């Protein structure tokens, strides 16, 4: 039985996905909802993370179910989007029973997009609620939407030499088990196609016409200027319909970072807060060995990164840097 590639995060049975894209400036949020709950895990890399409920996902802690994962722009302010998801889930009676109420478990992480227009505009509870209203089982849009609206990559030598990025998905189904990923790429580093080594989007030359690559420029003797702390961050969700324990889910989130390392150079820098969540719905009537699951998780994560930049489209507005997309520059 051959693997079938391409697809989206909603190819995993038991998951919904929705975006909210702010029309006032390039920012937004994206939610993945597990209405019946999913076993969750997380792995945080880089030195500038912004997260919520990640401690709860540790195998050492009691609650092993997640009802939603929210990815948002707006830096730390964007964590407010989780409150909207909490409200939407509570209205539908979804959550962990805690005395007289059900408490929805919403894990979240944010990326820094405050250089894209008016920084006082950022995802809030209303934005998070709107993303939930929009959520469904259809394949979500990719590119400059939701949490990827204000995303950029190749910022090692400043955002003005970077390129527009976005959010992307991929999935693989093998022997009755689906593994999928969704990644919002807002990286300091360049995005590289692992199959060819070619830089798809990244640091551009001084005249902005060609891609030179940050790591390549450093090896040629150039040094980047001082980078702003928390000025980037790539966020991902890797999901499966296989049944996993909480420990297994955390291991899957950990190994999925290898997919980021294959497709983003450099990755996990001091100015990135790269975070990957894992969700397991247990809907499949099949299972795969952990090593095989890891191989699939790495592959779909790398593919989702590529799709995030390939699907990106230009954004504009007052104070928004003019950044080209991968489709705009010659190979």
């Amino acid at each position: 039985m051959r693997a079938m590639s391409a697809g989206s995060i909603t190819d995993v049975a038991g998951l919904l996905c929705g975006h909210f894209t702010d029309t006032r400036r390039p920012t937004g949020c994206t939610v993945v909802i597990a209405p019946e709950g999913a076993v969750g895990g997380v792995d945080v890399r880089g030195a500038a993370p912004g997260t919520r409920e990640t401690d709860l996902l540790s195998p050492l802690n009691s609650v092993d179910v997640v009802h939603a994962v929210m990815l948002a722009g707006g830096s730390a302010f964007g964590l407010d989007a989780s409150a909207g998801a909490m409200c939407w889930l509570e209205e539908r009676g979804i959550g962990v029973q805690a005395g007289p109420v059900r408490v929805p478990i919403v894990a979240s992480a944010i990326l820094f997009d405050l250089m894209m227009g008016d920084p006082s505009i950022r995802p809030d509870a209303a934005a998070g609620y709107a993303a939930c209203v929009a959520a469904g089982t259809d394949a979500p849009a990719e590119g400059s939407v939701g949490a990827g609206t204000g995303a950029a990559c190749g910022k090692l030598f400043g955002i003005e030499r970077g390129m527009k990025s976005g959010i992307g998905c991929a999935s693989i189904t093998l022997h009755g088990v689906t593994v999928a990923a969704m990644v919002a790429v807002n990286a300091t580093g360049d995005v590289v196609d692992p199959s060819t080594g070619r830089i798809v989007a990244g640091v551009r030359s001084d005249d902005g016409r060609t891609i030179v690559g940050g790591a390549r420029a450093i090896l040629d003797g150039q040094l980047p200027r001082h980078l702003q702390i928390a000025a980037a961050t790539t966020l991902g969700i890797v999901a499966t319909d296989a049944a996993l324990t909480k420990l297994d889910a955390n291991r899957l989130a950990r190994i999925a970072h290898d997919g980021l390392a294959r497709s983003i150079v450099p990755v996990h820098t001091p100015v990135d807060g790269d975070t990957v969540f894992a969700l397991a719905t247990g809907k499949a009537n099949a299972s795969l060995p952990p090593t095989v699951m890891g191989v699939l998780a790495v592959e779909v994560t790398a593919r989702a990164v590529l799709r995030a930049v390939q699907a990106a489209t230009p954004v504009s507005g007052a104070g928004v840097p003019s950044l080209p997309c991968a489709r705009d520059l010659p190979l």
Side-chain angles (χ1 to χ4, degrees), residues 44-51 110 188 228-234 257 267-275:
V44 181
R45 305 283 176 94
T51 59
I110 50 82
T188 298
Q228 181 178 348
I229 296 299
T233 294
T234 294
H257 275 279
V267 72
H268 305 147
T269 76
V271 296
D272 288 280
D274 302 330
T275 301

Side-chain angles (χ1 to χ4, degrees), residues 221-250:
Q222 300 181 47
L223 293 179
R225 68 185 187 186
H226 176 71
L227 295 173
Q228 181 178 348
I229 296 299
T233 294
T234 294
L235 307 176
I237 302 170
V238 60
T240 181
D241 51 10
L244 300 182
T245 67
K246 197 175 182 183
L247 180 59
D248 290 336
N250 276 272

Side-chain angles (χ1 to χ4, degrees), residues 41-142:
V42 69
D43 193 88
V44 181
R45 305 283 176 94
T51 59
R52 166 177 165 158
E53 295 283 38
T54 50
D55 286 348
L56 189 67
L57 301 182
S58 166
L60 299 176
N61 295 325
S62 300
V63 175
D64 62 359
V65 65
V66 177
H67 302 104
V69 175
M70 179 71 71
L71 309 180
S75 189
F77 299 107
L79 291 172
D80 287 348
S82 295
M86 292 274 291
C87 180
W88 188 89
L89 291 164
E90 184 184 25
E91 289 175 355
R92 286 151 182 81
I94 299 171
V96 173
Q97 193 69 46
V101 299
R102 286 188 174 273
V103 180
I105 305 300
V106 180
S108 61
I110 50 82
L111 55 80
F112 186 96
D113 61 4
L114 298 181
M115 293 180 181
M116 305 293 280
D118 183 354
S120 68
I121 299 171
R122 51 256 184 166
D124 55 12
Y129 190 97
C132 293
V133 171
T137 57
D138 291 342
E142 297 176 287

Side-chain angles (χ1 to χ4, degrees), residues 7-36:
S8 79
I9 192 81
T10 52
D11 290 339
V12 174
L15 296 182
L16 313 175
C17 183
H19 298 302
F20 169 79
T21 302
D22 202 315
T23 59
R24 297 171 296 170
R25 84 162 180 94
T27 192
C29 57
T30 298
V31 68
V32 173
I33 302 172
E36 297 178 33

